[in-house]
Amino acid sequence: MEARIEKVKQQLQAQGYKLTPQREATVRVLLENEEDHLSAEDVFMLVKDKAPEIGLATVYRTLELLTEMHVVEKMNFGDGVARYDLRTESNKHHHHHLICVKCGSMTEIMEDWLLPLEERLETEYRFTVLDHRLDFQGICAKCQPDNPPEQP
Amino acid sequence: MEARIEKVKQQLQAQGYKLTPQREATVRVLLENEEDHLSAEDVFMLVKDKAPEIGLATVYRTLELLTEMHVVEKMNFGDGVARYDLRTESNKHHHHHLICVKCGSMTEIMEDWLLPLEERLETEYRFTVLDHRLDFQGICAKCQPDNPPEQP
DNA sequence: CTCTAAATGATAGACATTCTCATCCAAAAG
DNA sequence: CTTTTGGATGAGAATGTCTATCATTTAGAG
């Protein structure tokens, strides 16, 4: 935990930014909720517990900054809210998402299935891939018809 | 053109909806701009030429309805605006997008590269894919370093 | 300590989208 | 033909997310 904070601090300082208490609190919240895809509002409320004086604008600014630094990944699932995830070593690229249209659950696939496609884009389209997003919408295992879910 | 309008009409009626003049005008605009990815606002302004009395809310409602009917595909490129495309026979699924981070251009790949992956999801994850989205962000052919783009 | 620039918090603003509600209209019922 | 009914509409208010503004605070340089 502290090591990762330290790493972020160094990344920021390398670009001339400071790890202010507000920024540190924000990063800590992200670290403590690594499994979730928090919205800016989510982050704001969680940070408020640690540092009640923080302002919403600062959270937005910090998340934007961390996105530029590639410390977090800014995602958009089409629900009108940007969501933020820490990037880890094993997670340089977006992972893929399985979004269930019945129960709304989201599963992540951590493998990168797109490398072959990216090579094809490079050769056939001369398009250099920097990032990608792959989301599937459908019906998850729990909600399959042969496996009735929790339905009132 | 008329045939496609007729088809939409039947789809709507099958679900108990009517093809009102406003809805028809909206569909016509989408048909006439099939190549573009129009935002709701874009559609609104184009429809206004045909039917100046239409309201923005109706356009939103219509696009939402057409999305539910799977007549159009609602997309989101992360720029804060939803965009809408007609679905055609050759286009049952989302196509893939190459979004250039330098010039902002967008290229579409009409082939479906994901069928093998979807089969894998079905068997390995018991996830039934209804739809998918695959966007790549990177540098397009025109903007490759060895091929300087239109830069002021 | 003083100065400067970055960082912050509060709030207003911009923007896309949705909600509300009075009205309209087409088709069904009488 | 008239009335009734319920979906559809238009206008504008309301919502929600995010950004801009600006006065104030803070941290570090000198």
Side-chain angles (χ1 to χ4, degrees), chain A residues 121-149:
Chain A
L121 285 175
E122 185 74 49
T123 57
E124 288 182 25
Y125 290 80
R126 289 188 12 92
F127 186 89
T128 305
V129 175
L130 297 175
D131 214 342
H132 62 233
R133 166 213 301 260
L134 175 55
D135 298 335
F136 293 95
Q137 282 155 290
I139 300 166
C140 73
K142 279 209 317 262
C143 296
Q144 292 290 335
D146 58 333
N147 181 10

Side-chain angles (χ1 to χ4, degrees), chain A residues 41-135:
Chain A
E41 200 79 23
D42 294 336
V43 174
F44 175 57
M45 291 196 296
L46 289 167
V47 174
K48 269 220 147 174
D49 295 342
K50 290 189 194 308
E53 78 288 356
I54 200 171
L56 177 61
T58 300
V59 171
Y60 273 101
R61 280 185 291 236
T62 301
L63 290 172
E64 209 52 47
L65 179 63
L66 293 174
T67 302
E68 280 169 32
M69 310 257 82
H70 294 109
V71 172
V72 304
E73 156 186 328
K74 183 176 182 177
M75 292 175 300
N76 195 301
F77 292 117
D79 59 351
V81 197
R83 298 179 179 281
Y84 300 84
D85 264 19
L86 271 183
R87 291 189 173 205
T88 62
E89 297 67 36
S90 63
N91 180 19
K92 293 231 180 294
H93 258 172
H94 283 285
H95 31 251
H96 315 322
H97 296 99
L98 305 182
I99 302 160
C100 179
V101 300
K102 287 205 169 184
C103 68
S105 72
M106 167 155 39
T107 310
E108 295 182 20
I109 298 180
M110 302 308 288
E111 311 168 63
D112 191 347
W113 289 0
L114 297 181
L115 282 178
L117 298 189
E118 293 184 358
E119 286 164 20
R120 203 167 148 190
L121 285 175
E122 185 74 49
T123 57
E124 288 182 25
Y125 290 80
R126 289 188 12 92
F127 186 89
T128 305
V129 175
L130 297 175
D131 214 342
H132 62 233
R133 166 213 301 260
L134 175 55
D135 298 335

Side-chain angles (χ1 to χ4, degrees), chain B residues 18 20 22-23 53-55 58 61:
Chain B
K18 306 170 202 169
T20 63
Q22 292 90 339
R23 288 174 182 168
E53 77 288 356
I54 200 170
T58 299
R61 281 185 290 234

